[in-house]
Amino acid sequence: MVAGPGLLFVVSGPSGAGKDTLVEALRERLPRLRYSVSATTRQPRENEREGEHYFFLSRAEFERRMRDGELLERREYNGNLYGTPRGYVVQSLAEGYDVIMKPEVNGALAVKAAYPDAVLIFLVPDRFTHLRERLLARRTETNEEIARRLEIAHQEMKFIRSFDYIVVNEQGNPEQAVRDLQAILQAERFRIHRYPDDSIRRVESS
Ligand code: 5GP
């Protein structure tokens, strides 16, 4: 069987569902998986590094990249712009690497519109109240910001049916969610439509 282009995995869901932690754990397990670093106009948090967590851009530079078609999708979220740089994703997929990204829900749907073949995974906490607890625990947002993020989260939950998979991030058991994500990544590889037609024909006639 011939390996085709890489697969695009989009992990989305409300802020506080655990996207960052789970995707990081998944990347440790799958070193060949490429991570698409987003661009943002938000200020860096204390532990965040340029080019690793985000490309931190001024609004003017972000808008220039937008105008020049350098972003695959972009969204305003809570007063800041976030977007996926196009070049890295397109090149990695063409080279046969799988790519993972974690935009908010509207961004995920925009990626699906641009790449119908993308696999959309909706990450949810086992209880909605856990979102608030996690946002409080990470101490990176003010109470006002947390309230806004929870309001957005309520809106985001409405789009769940447009996704391909749901993964529940159970409180206290993130390992299970990481295993579930890994299972999805593995299973997607074996879907019939991912194989080039001539290799299916070879199997048929063997
Ligand atoms: P945070 O400020 O917590 O890092 O991110 C806020 C929200 O923006 C999260 O839901 C995160 O998934 C989303 N986000 C991060 N990068 C991108 C991106 O490239 N595009 C879109 N549409 N959303 C993003």
Side-chain angles (χ1 to χ4, degrees), residues 21-22 29 31 36 39 42 46 83-84 90-92 101 105 108 117-119 124 136 161 169 171 174 183 186 194 199:
T21 316
L22 297 187
R29 283 175 175 224
S36 162
R42 151 163 98 55
E46 218 169 81
T84 307
V90 170
Q91 194 186 335
S92 297
M101 57 173 70
V105 170
D117 213 29
V119 180
V124 284
L136 280 170
R161 288 175 194 277
N169 186 13
Q171 183 88 327
Q186 272 163 353
R194 306 259 183 233
S199 56

Side-chain angles (χ1 to χ4, degrees), residues 15-18 45 128-150 171:
S15 176
R45 295 180 189 136
F128 201 83
T129 52
H130 290 153
L131 283 182
R132 185 165 184 279
E133 288 164 22
R134 288 208 194 112
L135 288 171
L136 280 170
R138 76 183 189 195
R139 292 168 176 273
T140 49
E141 283 90 15
T142 61
N143 285 348
E144 221 175 49
E145 252 167 26
I146 290 177
R148 275 204 302 273
R149 281 176 184 248
L150 288 174
Q171 183 88 327

Side-chain angles (χ1 to χ4, degrees), residues 19 38 42 45 54 73 82-84 102-104 107 149:
K19 295 190 290 268
S38 296
R42 151 163 98 55
R45 295 180 189 136
Y54 280 107
E73 61 75 37
Y82 295 79
T84 307
K102 46 181 174 60
E104 47 65 66
R149 281 176 184 248

